[in-house]
Amino acid sequence: MSDTTKRPYSSKVVDGIDRAPSRAMLHAVGFQRDDFEKPKIGVASTWSMVTPCNMHIDGLARESAKGVDAAGGKGVIFNTITISDGISMGTEGMKYSLVSREVIADSIETVVGCEGMDGYVAIGGCDKNMPGCLIAMARMNRPSVFVYGGTILPGCSHDNAQDLDIVSVFEAVGKRANDEIDDAQLQDIEEKAIPGAGSCGGMYTANTMASAIEALGMSLPNSSAQAAISDEKKMDCFDAGAAVMNLINKGIKPRDILTRKAFENAITLVIALGGSTNAVLHLLAIAHAAEVELSIDDFTEIGKRVPVLADVKPSGKYFMNDLIKIGGTLPLLRQLLDAGLLHGDCLTVTGRTMAENLENVDPNYPEGQEIIRPFDNPVKKESHLVVLYGNLASGGAVAKISGKEGERFEGTARVFDGEEAGMKAILAGEIKKGDVIVIRYEGPKGGPGMREMLGPTSAVMGLGLGKEVALITDGRFSGGSHGFVVGHVTPEAAVGGAIGLLQDGDKIVIDAANREMTVDLSDEELAARKAEWSEPTPNYTRGVLAKFAKLTSSASEGAVTDKNL
């Protein structure tokens, strides 16, 4: 048998006379005799016909296996699950979304650990796939590379008047409720918005997390900025398979890459791109798995020095596909490095440092482009991700303030226990200028599962109230949400947080400049209401949602399930 230093796990499964039964099973799935002497490299595929984000990943997984084999390993493809936020949004099913992140991480860990894989590639499309894959990589600490399945191309309306994506459809629902469009126009948008395979096309959570993972150093350069259906994405997958073999040869493992500095790089790029609030939740969870100290306050500190440079959806104008056309994320990373905002000495899955990867990258985008703004004319001088504290969020909350909404909102609480009740009131025209919509009991424990409020925020925008009302929740927001929104309110309502004590008519102030969110109630009044409050009956007492509710930490800690084990 070959040198087991490069096969520390597979050798225990297939080497020796007593392992003949194991080899017999593997012969049946295509192993040849000499394959047992090669490093066994898993290819974790999130392929599924559940969603367009992942419908093409089976082909990408085969490309990665080819890359492994060409570099001297033995590729073994296996599957994990995916769910679709876009399909389940606004329903009870959406409670499984964040839970799926943990299921994905657990399932990859289970297969890699059980089958003795020496390293692996993981390919993710929809947004929970990506942090799930990275959590598994950080836990297992075996040589591994992440591949982003790639972004979708924009859809186009019948009259070619506008590019479309899934958020266009959600906002069209609000426009229809407001009689701004008719049934035929809504149907046209519905049918044309999603033209094929790939993840949602704006700087929503999928593209945000793909970019963050590249900045972490866990995917190959430009993996985050390639169309799902492209020759570049196929080559990225093939190269990732070979890259794992290079990591094995060099003895480089994920925790050599996932350092504190690497997480600072990821936060920096997320801010520069105007990325999703979900990046806060997911980067905290990945850092926890890697045993790296990271907190929500780190987003504040980094955000003070990093501007928002990308004019991308949902708050901006352009799609990820537009950014790809002008060179992707690499020139932006080079600009951030040259500006002293990135740690260039961080190791990456290429086996080289971030600075070495970017050494020959031209930092200049094409003249006349308006997608990435210059440092002296940013979209926003500081981060759009604003962590708020105050008597409504003593454990922190995360706001997404692009600057277009202003930085302060004072209004009157309209309180709803659950998303459905809030959505019903919005579509019925019951929300008025100056209201603060409060959607609670949607936190990690209370939902359980911390649903995304894309339906309510999109309906608000579709009704033309984006600058007139605010929305706060102990749930979270889709990367497609925009407007004056605050999520991840901690402590959540289900554990007696102040958001659970609010009543209609309470006066709420959201002050992004001073990073505060408060209700105009005295400590005595809040204490009196808390004394009258009683813990609600759990929505689920059996199954995966009940397990998640019992095990999860708070949103400010990443909503991880193994913190207190």
Side-chain angles (χ1 to χ4, degrees), residues 434-450:
D435 284 345
V436 178
I437 303 165
V438 179
I439 299 180
R440 63 191 183 187
Y441 293 102
E442 290 286 2
K445 288 184 177 294
M450 210 177 176

PDB file of all heavy atoms in Angstrom, residues 434-450:
ATOM      1  N   GLY A 434     -45.338  55.992   9.274  1.00  0.00           N
ATOM      2  CA  GLY A 434     -44.930  56.195  10.653  1.00  0.00           C
ATOM      3  C   GLY A 434     -45.040  54.958  11.528  1.00  0.00           C
ATOM      4  O   GLY A 434     -44.633  54.983  12.695  1.00  0.00           O
ATOM      5  N   ASP A 435     -45.554  53.850  10.970  1.00  0.00           N
ATOM      6  CA  ASP A 435     -45.648  52.616  11.744  1.00  0.00           C
ATOM      7  C   ASP A 435     -44.306  51.898  11.796  1.00  0.00           C
ATOM      8  O   ASP A 435     -43.528  51.916  10.832  1.00  0.00           O
ATOM      9  CB  ASP A 435     -46.676  51.666  11.122  1.00  0.00           C
ATOM     10  CG  ASP A 435     -48.111  52.075  11.406  1.00  0.00           C
ATOM     11  OD1 ASP A 435     -48.321  52.907  12.310  1.00  0.00           O
ATOM     12  OD2 ASP A 435     -49.018  51.559  10.725  1.00  0.00           O
ATOM     13  N   VAL A 436     -44.040  51.245  12.914  1.00  0.00           N
ATOM     14  CA  VAL A 436     -42.940  50.295  13.038  1.00  0.00           C
ATOM     15  C   VAL A 436     -43.575  48.916  13.149  1.00  0.00           C
ATOM     16  O   VAL A 436     -44.171  48.579  14.179  1.00  0.00           O
ATOM     17  CB  VAL A 436     -42.051  50.577  14.254  1.00  0.00           C
ATOM     18  CG1 VAL A 436     -40.952  49.512  14.362  1.00  0.00           C
ATOM     19  CG2 VAL A 436     -41.430  51.962  14.167  1.00  0.00           C
ATOM     20  N   ILE A 437     -43.479  48.146  12.090  1.00  0.00           N
ATOM     21  CA  ILE A 437     -44.041  46.796  12.087  1.00  0.00           C
ATOM     22  C   ILE A 437     -43.144  45.909  12.955  1.00  0.00           C
ATOM     23  O   ILE A 437     -41.928  45.840  12.735  1.00  0.00           O
ATOM     24  CB  ILE A 437     -44.101  46.235  10.660  1.00  0.00           C
ATOM     25  CG1 ILE A 437     -44.910  47.166   9.753  1.00  0.00           C
ATOM     26  CG2 ILE A 437     -44.692  44.828  10.653  1.00  0.00           C
ATOM     27  CD1 ILE A 437     -44.716  46.877   8.273  1.00  0.00           C
ATOM     28  N   VAL A 438     -43.718  45.252  13.948  1.00  0.00           N
ATOM     29  CA  VAL A 438     -42.975  44.362  14.842  1.00  0.00           C
ATOM     30  C   VAL A 438     -43.465  42.935  14.594  1.00  0.00           C
ATOM     31  O   VAL A 438     -44.634  42.626  14.849  1.00  0.00           O
ATOM     32  CB  VAL A 438     -43.191  44.741  16.324  1.00  0.00           C
ATOM     33  CG1 VAL A 438     -42.426  43.772  17.227  1.00  0.00           C
ATOM     34  CG2 VAL A 438     -42.767  46.178  16.580  1.00  0.00           C
ATOM     35  N   ILE A 439     -42.603  42.101  14.064  1.00  0.00           N
ATOM     36  CA  ILE A 439     -42.941  40.691  13.842  1.00  0.00           C
ATOM     37  C   ILE A 439     -42.064  39.859  14.777  1.00  0.00           C
ATOM     38  O   ILE A 439     -40.846  39.810  14.623  1.00  0.00           O
ATOM     39  CB  ILE A 439     -42.749  40.280  12.376  1.00  0.00           C
ATOM     40  CG1 ILE A 439     -43.671  41.109  11.474  1.00  0.00           C
ATOM     41  CG2 ILE A 439     -43.025  38.796  12.201  1.00  0.00           C
ATOM     42  CD1 ILE A 439     -43.566  40.793   9.998  1.00  0.00           C
ATOM     43  N   ARG A 440     -42.705  39.230  15.750  1.00  0.00           N
ATOM     44  CA  ARG A 440     -41.954  38.556  16.815  1.00  0.00           C
ATOM     45  C   ARG A 440     -42.357  37.079  16.932  1.00  0.00           C
ATOM     46  O   ARG A 440     -43.210  36.604  16.194  1.00  0.00           O
ATOM     47  CB  ARG A 440     -42.190  39.275  18.139  1.00  0.00           C
ATOM     48  CG  ARG A 440     -43.631  39.245  18.615  1.00  0.00           C
ATOM     49  CD  ARG A 440     -43.835  40.187  19.774  1.00  0.00           C
ATOM     50  NE  ARG A 440     -45.200  40.116  20.296  1.00  0.00           N
ATOM     51  CZ  ARG A 440     -45.676  40.930  21.228  1.00  0.00           C
ATOM     52  NH1 ARG A 440     -44.914  41.896  21.738  1.00  0.00           N
ATOM     53  NH2 ARG A 440     -46.917  40.794  21.661  1.00  0.00           N
ATOM     54  N   TYR A 441     -41.696  36.396  17.854  1.00  0.00           N
ATOM     55  CA  TYR A 441     -41.823  34.949  18.000  1.00  0.00           C
ATOM     56  C   TYR A 441     -41.410  34.243  16.716  1.00  0.00           C
ATOM     57  O   TYR A 441     -41.963  33.219  16.333  1.00  0.00           O
ATOM     58  CB  TYR A 441     -43.244  34.548  18.438  1.00  0.00           C
ATOM     59  CG  TYR A 441     -43.546  35.025  19.844  1.00  0.00           C
ATOM     60  CD1 TYR A 441     -44.337  36.144  20.065  1.00  0.00           C
ATOM     61  CD2 TYR A 441     -42.975  34.380  20.949  1.00  0.00           C
ATOM     62  CE1 TYR A 441     -44.581  36.614  21.351  1.00  0.00           C
ATOM     63  CE2 TYR A 441     -43.212  34.840  22.240  1.00  0.00           C
ATOM     64  CZ  TYR A 441     -44.012  35.953  22.436  1.00  0.00           C
ATOM     65  OH  TYR A 441     -44.234  36.403  23.714  1.00  0.00           O
ATOM     66  N   GLU A 442     -40.401  34.829  16.058  1.00  0.00           N
ATOM     67  CA  GLU A 442     -39.818  34.245  14.853  1.00  0.00           C
ATOM     68  C   GLU A 442     -38.322  33.985  15.041  1.00  0.00           C
ATOM     69  O   GLU A 442     -37.599  33.751  14.076  1.00  0.00           O
ATOM     70  CB  GLU A 442     -40.025  35.169  13.648  1.00  0.00           C
ATOM     71  CG  GLU A 442     -41.461  35.275  13.164  1.00  0.00           C
ATOM     72  CD  GLU A 442     -41.951  34.037  12.423  1.00  0.00           C
ATOM     73  OE1 GLU A 442     -41.185  33.059  12.317  1.00  0.00           O
ATOM     74  OE2 GLU A 442     -43.107  34.052  11.966  1.00  0.00           O
ATOM     75  N   GLY A 443     -37.834  34.030  16.273  1.00  0.00           N
ATOM     76  CA  GLY A 443     -36.414  33.842  16.536  1.00  0.00           C
ATOM     77  C   GLY A 443     -35.973  32.391  16.401  1.00  0.00           C
ATOM     78  O   GLY A 443     -36.770  31.508  16.053  1.00  0.00           O
ATOM     79  N   PRO A 444     -34.692  32.120  16.669  1.00  0.00           N
ATOM     80  CA  PRO A 444     -34.194  30.747  16.554  1.00  0.00           C
ATOM     81  C   PRO A 444     -34.991  29.748  17.389  1.00  0.00           C
ATOM     82  O   PRO A 444     -35.313  28.660  16.917  1.00  0.00           O
ATOM     83  CB  PRO A 444     -32.747  30.866  17.055  1.00  0.00           C
ATOM     84  CG  PRO A 444     -32.380  32.291  16.839  1.00  0.00           C
ATOM     85  CD  PRO A 444     -33.634  33.076  17.040  1.00  0.00           C
ATOM     86  N   LYS A 445     -35.342  30.123  18.622  1.00  0.00           N
ATOM     87  CA  LYS A 445     -36.126  29.239  19.479  1.00  0.00           C
ATOM     88  C   LYS A 445     -37.623  29.418  19.267  1.00  0.00           C
ATOM     89  O   LYS A 445     -38.388  28.450  19.263  1.00  0.00           O
ATOM     90  CB  LYS A 445     -35.793  29.509  20.952  1.00  0.00           C
ATOM     91  CG  LYS A 445     -34.420  29.035  21.388  1.00  0.00           C
ATOM     92  CD  LYS A 445     -34.212  29.255  22.878  1.00  0.00           C
ATOM     93  CE  LYS A 445     -32.868  28.718  23.340  1.00  0.00           C
ATOM     94  NZ  LYS A 445     -32.775  27.239  23.227  1.00  0.00           N
ATOM     95  N   GLY A 446     -38.058  30.641  19.092  1.00  0.00           N
ATOM     96  CA  GLY A 446     -39.479  30.927  19.072  1.00  0.00           C
ATOM     97  C   GLY A 446     -40.188  30.495  17.826  1.00  0.00           C
ATOM     98  O   GLY A 446     -41.376  30.140  17.858  1.00  0.00           O
ATOM     99  N   GLY A 447     -39.517  30.533  16.679  1.00  0.00           N
ATOM    100  CA  GLY A 447     -40.184  30.156  15.429  1.00  0.00           C
ATOM    101  C   GLY A 447     -40.672  28.716  15.435  1.00  0.00           C
ATOM    102  O   GLY A 447     -41.853  28.474  15.213  1.00  0.00           O
ATOM    103  N   PRO A 448     -39.796  27.736  15.668  1.00  0.00           N
ATOM    104  CA  PRO A 448     -38.350  27.943  15.678  1.00  0.00           C
ATOM    105  C   PRO A 448     -37.812  28.095  14.261  1.00  0.00           C
ATOM    106  O   PRO A 448     -38.538  27.910  13.295  1.00  0.00           O
ATOM    107  CB  PRO A 448     -37.830  26.653  16.323  1.00  0.00           C
ATOM    108  CG  PRO A 448     -38.848  25.623  15.938  1.00  0.00           C
ATOM    109  CD  PRO A 448     -40.181  26.330  15.891  1.00  0.00           C
ATOM    110  N   GLY A 449     -36.538  28.472  14.183  1.00  0.00           N
ATOM    111  CA  GLY A 449     -35.867  28.470  12.892  1.00  0.00           C
ATOM    112  C   GLY A 449     -35.608  29.816  12.274  1.00  0.00           C
ATOM    113  O   GLY A 449     -34.996  29.899  11.228  1.00  0.00           O
ATOM    114  N   MET A 450     -36.118  30.909  12.887  1.00  0.00           N
ATOM    115  CA  MET A 450     -35.700  32.244  12.464  1.00  0.00           C
ATOM    116  C   MET A 450     -36.009  32.500  10.997  1.00  0.00           C
ATOM    117  O   MET A 450     -35.134  32.716  10.170  1.00  0.00           O
ATOM    118  CB  MET A 450     -34.207  32.415  12.748  1.00  0.00           C
ATOM    119  CG  MET A 450     -33.781  33.828  13.038  1.00  0.00           C
ATOM    120  SD  MET A 450     -32.030  33.891  13.440  1.00  0.00           S
ATOM    121  CE  MET A 450     -31.837  35.653  13.606  1.00  0.00           C
TER     122      MET A 450
END
